[in-house]
Amino acid sequence: MEQKVSTITKKEISPKSIEAEHILVIRLSAMGDVAMSVPVIRMVRTMYPDVKITVLTRAFFEPIFDSIDNIALYHADVDGTHKGLLGLSKLSKELRKLGITAVADLHNVLRSNILKKFFRLHKIKVIQIDKGRAEKKALTRTSNKNFKQLKTTHQRYADVFEKLGFPIDLQNHTFPKKVELTPEVLRITQNSTKKWLGIAPFAQYDSKTYPLDLMIAVIEELDKQDMFEVFLFGGGKKEIDIFNNIESKYKNVINVAGKLSFANELKLIGNLDGMISMDSGNGHLAAMYGVPTITLWGVTHPFAGFMPFAQPVEHAILPNLAIYDQIPTSIYGNKYPEGYEKVMHSIQPNTILQKIYAILQ
């Protein structure tokens, strides 16, 4: 089936922009990285209104870009129509028909590298993100570690646009207004007048997931305070069962997982007063709306450049680095030495509670 360009907003791209540059932005996965691209693309859109922007991403991620006016999305069906070399060749032909003049590759993986070759055969300029792999390797190695703050992923995205001739200053970024909640979301929130606090307690790896019993201790204390409506975010049957069990025990806790569409879940996230997440995608989803986001870190570290957008370093809660001095042991949390299995246990529930009170009260 032929892929269609999907316009996010009802605003039309002006005739002048059609005659000007048309940038294709590639950001296929993962969800957290897709969310991190939003403030950058929003800033490009604001500073260069006459440039046409089309974002190439998976269909599921479309709602992530709803807060950016006047852009278009093109769905990459990488598991079907656009699978493999022939599928990517077909995709490149479809994209060229849109009249793209330049490509901002914020992904820089095998698929986008193949697309790059097809585009360059047709003299279309492609700039790819510099992921700083050598710097990150030096940051995570066990001996002679170069422990310093690396360039943020957001800035690495911005550098791509600068090399295309569209420099931006992320410090000038402004967040969108809060969106109106749908009836489906209002049924979930029960029109609570308390402060809305999201908690996303899971991550891809156990090494950067706060122990569930300790998180329940945090939730129990928050419930006693009776000041917050706590919304639990996650996915998967196992997580939903856990959330349902927690929800049944506390009057101020609501399980969101499995109850809303992704688009409606994002509307709720964008209206939160605060979010607690691991080093995971939910933190980036909240931050792209300007929601104060507290992040808990295990064997990873903000120095790698994945701190949620515009969040001060004080919002990051780290394990005891005096004991676990090899942190970060990896960029994504998939590697750590023996004895580092329980780094998250060094973060006390009261530390998290005090941070919540300091930020949200």
Side-chain angles (χ1 to χ4, degrees), residues 235-271:
K237 185 180 184 306
K238 181 180 178 180
E239 293 182 12
I240 291 173
D241 289 343
I242 292 172
F243 288 168
N244 284 333
N245 183 46
I246 296 173
E247 180 185 43
S248 68
K249 296 179 179 179
Y250 303 103
K251 66 175 182 178
N252 296 313
V253 177
I254 298 173
N255 171 30
V256 176
K259 296 181 179 179
L260 292 172
S261 67
F262 185 45
N264 275 323
E265 193 169 304
L266 289 177
K267 287 181 172 61
L268 174 54
I269 290 175
N271 278 273

Side-chain angles (χ1 to χ4, degrees), residues 273-274 292-294 312 314-315 354-361:
D273 294 297
T293 303
I294 299 169
E314 291 79 17
H315 287 193
Q354 293 307 313
K355 186 69 68 174
I356 294 170
Y357 299 148
I359 293 173
L360 298 186
Q361 286 184 307

